[in-house]
Amino acid sequence: MAYAAFRSIGAYVPSKILSNEDLARMVDTTDEWITKRTGIKERRIASSDEFTSDMGAKAAQIAIERSGIDKSQIDMIVCATISPDYFCMPSTAAIISTKLGLSNATAFDISAACTGFVYVLSIAKAFIESGMKKNVLIIGAEKLSAITDYNDRGTCILFGDGAGAAIISATQDKSEAIIDVHTGADGEFADLLMSPNGGSGSAHDTLDQEAGNCFMQMKGNETFKVAVKTLTKDVVDILKENSIEASQIKHFVPHQANLRIIKAVGDALKLEDEQVVLTVEKYGNTSGASIPMAINDIYESGRLKSGELMLLDAFGGGLTWGSALVPFAPKVV
Ligand code: ACO
């Protein structure tokens, strides 16, 4: 049987920084409020001619180079995004494949908001374990600034742009295998986080009036409470089902939505500070890109070593949630 190994990571962030002070000049807020309630100090913003696919392709290029495989061996590309280049078609994954010089790989997007990267990880694992694919490029890429309402202080302080990517490859070595991935969803809470305009659910007159307005709307406080509960239950369940203790986790990589949410989950699991990966301060919430960007952060700073166990944990619009137990398994050359 083939197992799925997490071979490499890459990320890209745009150079433009949007600080809390910048936002305080745009809406009624302060650096102090944002820092205290979210832990965010700044986020990156893509330029007007820089698309989600551009960021995704740059992150992917780095992940491919670090994987040790030739790009021609990639047989599937899956991109998690809620801010695709185009809302209906073509998929951002298909555009990325062309930007990478690939023309023969299966390519599609998935929409699971901030849980997107855990979802694409589960897809890659399933395709590889079934024997259908051998090298899957998974990407989380977001230009959230394109769907953020910069008049709404409840949301615009949270979101940023960026991309992360990973190569997941078939292996016969069970010690390298992704141990488990959990994913779930409950549409009952759909109205907590929505981009209500622009889809077939919009009334036609609304669609005409607000064409192009796909801004995110969020009931932040209610979302916060569900997030803490769901994220905690999710990691407790996946650890228990796999007979793994929280102390065996080298890197807890949660979705970077809010420092208070991350701390609450870390405390519930009794994790030490050095186990918890944090990038929320410098990148804010980049939805589907946040987990691979955080993994890239510990990789580039030399903290992530071969064989170390990561616990991924995410929560987002849908509602969706997911967690994964992933050993870092770069190819031995
Ligand atoms: N600056 C100053 N005051 C503000 C701001 C702001 N930017 N935003 C809201 N306030 C005010 C509110 O108006 C309210 O004022 P009031 O008491 O006079 O009515 C007060 O601050 C408290 O508002 P809350 O919404 O209760 O603030 P809260 O502590 O919940 O923090 C936040 C808001 C940061 C949005 C938080 O609720 C949160 O992080 N929620 C979870 C977000 C999340 O995890 N989303 C899921 C992933 S995103 C995705 O899937 C795309």
Side-chain angles (χ1 to χ4, degrees), residues 82-84 87 111 113 144 146-148 190-202 213-218 317-318:
I82 53 167
S83 47
F87 266 101
S111 166
L144 295 181
I147 57 167
T148 296
D191 68 331
L192 291 188
L193 265 157
M194 283 190 104
S195 299
N197 298 321
S200 66
S202 308
N213 170 359
C214 292
F215 292 154
M216 291 178 282
Q217 296 176 9
M218 181 173 67

Side-chain angles (χ1 to χ4, degrees), residues 213-230:
N213 170 359
C214 292
F215 292 154
M216 291 178 282
Q217 296 176 9
M218 181 173 67
K219 295 177 182 166
N221 198 267
E222 286 170 62
T223 307
F224 187 100
K225 288 172 197 153
V226 185
V228 174
K229 215 163 108 188
T230 310

Side-chain angles (χ1 to χ4, degrees), residues 96-108:
I96 290 173
S97 75
T98 302
K99 288 182 176 167
L100 293 172
L102 300 171
S103 56
N104 214 15
T106 304
F108 60 97

Side-chain angles (χ1 to χ4, degrees), residues 13 22 53 83 89 104 143 206 210 233 243 254 278 283 312:
V13 288
D22 294 330
S53 63
S83 47
M89 58 184 170
N104 214 15
K143 186 173 179 176
T206 314
E210 306 195 40
K233 180 181 181 319
S243 305
L278 291 174
Y283 299 140
L312 318 185

Side-chain angles (χ1 to χ4, degrees), residues 23 27-31 33-34 36-40 82 112-115 142 144 147 152-159 192-194 216 218-225 227-228 231 255-261 285-288 315-320:
L23 282 162
V27 289
D28 183 13
T29 192
T30 59
D31 170 45
W33 192 96
I34 302 170
K36 195 167 156 215
R37 300 285 179 126
T38 71
I40 302 168
I82 53 167
C114 305
T115 318
E142 301 286 10
L144 295 181
I147 57 167
D152 174 12
R153 68 177 182 171
T155 54
C156 74
I157 55 150
L158 300 171
F159 299 111
L192 291 188
L193 265 157
M194 283 190 104
M216 291 178 282
M218 181 173 67
K219 295 177 182 166
N221 198 267
E222 286 170 62
T223 307
F224 187 100
K225 288 172 197 153
V228 174
L231 285 165
H255 168 50
Q256 306 286 314
N258 183 314
L259 185 61
R260 288 189 293 143
I261 296 177
N285 180 347
T286 56
S287 192
F315 170 91
L319 291 179
T320 56

